[in-house]
Amino acid sequence: SLFEPLKAIVALLQSYGDEMPAEVHLQLQNLPGRWNNIKKLCLQVADSAAPLQAKEAAIIREKCQ
């Protein structure tokens, strides 16, 4: 997964005796879900912006002719 390298770094630090706060572990657990939500939001914004972009492109094409 995308966040496995971060989890590996935390595990490596733990092996050297550097304990991370519980908050860090909780954030690492929640990251995949939050990342998926952000990706969905980006797709929604892109979908809602597409008609506006098409309208602007048509206006620019009209001005260029």
Side-chain angles (χ1 to χ4, degrees):
S1 109
L2 183 63
F3 302 103
E4 288 304 317
L6 286 175
K7 291 177 183 178
I9 290 170
V10 170
L12 178 65
L13 289 171
Q14 279 181 324
S15 72
Y16 285 100
D18 193 3
E19 279 295 320
M20 293 290 143
E23 181 182 340
V24 171
H25 295 285
L26 184 61
Q27 287 175 345
L28 279 174
Q29 287 176 350
N30 293 336
L31 273 176
R34 292 183 70 189
W35 180 247
N36 285 333
N37 290 341
I38 289 171
K39 290 191 297 186
K40 288 177 190 174
L41 179 62
C42 288
L43 291 173
Q44 290 173 350
V45 169
D47 286 344
S48 65
L52 298 173
Q53 288 176 326
K55 185 178 178 181
E56 285 298 315
I59 291 170
I60 291 170
R61 271 191 228 103
E62 215 173 273
K63 287 182 180 179
C64 291
Q65 292 177 354

